[in-house]
Amino acid sequence: MAGPKTPPYYSPTYKKNGANFPPHSIRINVYTLAITFTVLCSIAYFIGRGSIYTFPASNVAATIPCIPLKITSTTDFSNNSSASSTQVDFTASHGDDEGEGVVDGVKVYPPCDIKYSEYTPCEDPHRSLKFKRDRLIYRERHCPDKSQLLKCRVPAPYGYKKPFKWPKSRDLAWYANVPHKELTVEKAVQNWIRKEGDKFRFPGGGTMFPNGADAYVDDIDKLINLKDGSIRTAIDTGCGVASWGAYLLSRDILAMSFAPRDTHEAQVQFALERGVPALIGVLASKRLPYPSRAFDMAHCSRCLIPWNQYNGVYLMEVDRVLRPGGYWILSGPPIRWRKYFKGWERTRDDLNDEQTRIEDVAKKLCWKKFVEKDDIAIWQKPYNHYQCKEQKKKSMCPAQDPDRAWYTELETCITPMPEVSTDEDVAGGQLENWPKRLHAIPPRISSGTVNGVTAESFEKDSQLWKKRVGYYKSVDHKLNQPGRYRNLLDMNAHLGGFAAAWVNDPVWVMNIVPAEAEVNTLGVIYERGLVGTYQSWCEAMSTYPRTYDLLHADSIFTMYNDRCEMEDILLEMDRILRPEGNVIIREDVDILVEVKKIADGLNWNSQIMDHEDGPMEREKLLFAVKSYWTTPKTQDSKNTTRPRF
């Protein structure tokens, strides 16, 4: 069709071309009508609601229907010479006590009952009882079906406070945030945790480190080098309150801690409250949700995993996720059983048999016993299978994807490492020591095993995310405040560029590679010295409510279009986000408008902003803050859904 082209959408920062607009007199009439309509709409709204709100400016205002936003914000705009950016200062709102329904065209999501305060949908204890207890299968992920999904906002307990800033949070947590005293009683003699007034203190004790986790890590450091950067990623099985991982952080070692949701309430919740990476998880019948060759070090301190049973399948899984040349550390039964067998209330023969079986499985895996001293034994995985490939050929798994680990069954076989030319080569490629590892080209990319990703595109991606995170900080000044944020979650991490851009901040990032992603890049993320997990966002995450300070979602709703409901993903984001936590969502403007409607119904304080490259980009950003609200101090059966603000 002939005639001038019009922009794909209108934004207040778009520079108008006179040819695209009607004559001046007509424009005046249009503006007059628009102003009149807006005034009438506002008057009707304020009369109906009986209160006045401050609305944040939006750079895509013309694409958003006339829906009053249920938020309160303080907005400060300032020009930025780089890309006409604006800076917004969000003040988290203390929103209305809304019931379920539709208000002014926005669906309102009511608070859930207080009994859901610590709801973990895929590890729900009531649902778990329907599954087999054999091999702890009932403690694995068992998610609700679509008809069982909650359509409400999970409440924070009464008195909830913002967690202590890192590094103070390593040692302290508010009792009101995780109101469980069980561990202070059950683990009192082991010095895991103490209650001091309205706070918990974590002295760093543990079952096998009576002198504290810091001293225990020092003991390990005397046996293997924890200082030279060769060990960066670690996994702690049966982590307790994750004190081992907490004290490794001061040595620039990032540990992924996990424990099942069991009789010791809220172990993983305590870990995340402290600002330490952790997930709910268990070694049972499925692979751990990590790629092969992910961790430099694996650890079990009396984690109660039966390593010698089921034909050694659990050690075989550790072998899969352990990097060539990596270490497996075991302290506690059966190590040093000759000294402790009476205290452990087990026979000498029983403990001797257990250790012998573990040693046999380790030999089958071609591991070598590196050292055993006092209460600690360490094995080392070979750098390749060059020497033992033939002799262990019958034990090797058949052709498979070793990185596949989302609801993937465990197998009693050895995961083959990549082929090498000589017995001195490192299978899969040699990694740089930390911190060079972060920006070095990952071996998976340099070898060409990641479809569509080259060394050049990897470097461009790193620069892109450095620019984008810089833009985020220019828009929301709170992102520049050290200690305000600690636990970050990237819902679609790709190559880990978002996390890499935060490396100099006192934060850590849980990098998610969606199970539905076209290319599996989680192995690349681990080769960079970062941590993460697989996740389908059509399901809930294996974490407690209120465990992340900031959620970053790049093209998530595009990826899951027609796969699951947008509102269910946003409700899950609300569940795992802390009160007054931040959300940054990148999407096409049309999708963001729909996201914002749901965000308003969740009582988030939200605003749509221009792309870092300017207003002509269809992709926009939604910045949001979750409101602070808790359950009431007392709650009877007749009043179980009204929040306290």
Side-chain angles (χ1 to χ4, degrees), residues 423-437:
D423 61 357
E424 296 180 354
D425 294 336
V426 177
Q430 178 69 50
L431 294 179
E432 294 280 359
N433 288 353
W434 181 264
K436 289 183 179 180
R437 188 181 297 187

Side-chain angles (χ1 to χ4, degrees), residues 481-492:
Q481 298 176 7
R484 184 177 180 89
Y485 304 93
R486 175 61 185 170
N487 302 353
L488 277 58
L489 177 71
D490 191 1
M491 298 174 67
N492 186 15

Side-chain angles (χ1 to χ4, degrees), residues 99 112 115 118 131 221 226 243 291 368 422 463 476 483 487 555 643:
C112 303
K115 68 182 179 180
E118 294 180 355
F131 297 89
D221 191 29
L226 301 180
S243 289
K368 71 176 181 180
T422 71
Q463 291 303 313
D476 187 352
N487 302 353
S555 305

